[in-house]
């Protein structure tokens, strides 16, 4: 079992640059896809992000650094939604030095992907042996 309230990070699948736009799109997480982590396997269940998407202001950061903001849900520059595949995101990149740098690196194929941070509230996970199912994350 992992410590409650600890921010965990997971690598996300590949992303794409939206054609003709300053936007990154993709899935931060895919439902039912097994991730092999240190000592256990993890799967994210459909609906796991429902509570965190309900009215919270979620931010997209560079390297998880709060001083390096790319977008946020409150302003509409980060859009997140659960669909049948997983948690889909759209990030409108800012016209800033770092936003332009991220766009250039993404277009050149230099970025390897994204990652996302989360916490697991009490009751948000189910363990069966060395298999963890995330049922709710915030």
């Amino acid at each position: 079992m992992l410590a409650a309230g600890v921010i965990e990070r997971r690598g996300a699948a590949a992303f794409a640059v939206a054609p003709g736009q300053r936007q990154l799109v993709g899935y931060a997480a895919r439902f039912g896809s097994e991730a092999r982590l240190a000592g256990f396997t993890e799967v994210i269940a459909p609906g796991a992000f429902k509570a965190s998407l309900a009215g919270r202001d979620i931010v997209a950061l560079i390297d998880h650094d709060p001083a390096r903001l790319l977008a946020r849900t409150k302003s509409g520059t980060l859009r997140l939604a659960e669909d049948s595949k997983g948690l889909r995101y759209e990030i409108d990149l800012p016209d800033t030095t770092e936003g332009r740098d991220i766009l250039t690196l993404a277009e050149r194929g230099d970025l390897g992907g994204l990652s996302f941070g989360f916490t697991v509230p009490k009751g948000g996970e189910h363990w069966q042996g060395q298999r963890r199912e995330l049922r709710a994350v915030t």
Side-chain angles (χ1 to χ4, degrees):
M1 220 162 194
L2 302 175
V6 172
I7 296 176
E8 299 182 44
R9 294 181 182 162
R10 298 292 181 270
F15 60 89
V17 177
Q21 298 183 38
R22 301 180 51 77
Q23 189 179 83
L24 299 179
V25 298
Y27 283 87
R30 292 201 181 256
F31 299 137
S33 178
E34 285 193 354
R36 299 198 191 288
L37 304 169
F40 65 98
T41 301
E42 183 176 80
V43 171
I44 301 174
F49 298 98
K50 184 178 180 179
S52 61
L53 295 177
R56 284 190 59 220
D57 184 27
I58 300 169
V59 294
L61 306 171
I62 298 172
D63 295 329
H64 298 271
D65 181 348
R68 300 174 73 196
L69 179 70
L70 281 178
R72 69 184 327 137
T73 56
K74 184 170 94 174
S75 68
T77 55
L78 169 62
R79 291 168 301 284
L80 299 165
E82 278 193 9
D83 63 18
S84 62
K85 294 179 184 177
L87 179 64
R88 181 171 167 70
Y89 66 86
E90 296 177 354
I91 299 172
D92 297 336
L93 294 171
D95 190 16
T96 62
T97 300
E98 287 193 311
R100 290 187 298 273
D101 289 350
I102 293 291
L103 180 61
T104 299
L105 292 169
E107 288 175 334
R108 289 179 7 163
D110 293 336
L111 296 181
L114 304 171
S115 61
F116 67 101
F118 64 93
T119 59
V120 181
K122 186 175 180 169
E125 63 187 355
H126 174 75
W127 285 88
Q128 186 171 8
Q130 295 299 310
R131 186 176 190 275
R132 178 190 197 199
E133 181 182 55
L134 294 176
R135 296 178 176 177
V137 298
T138 55

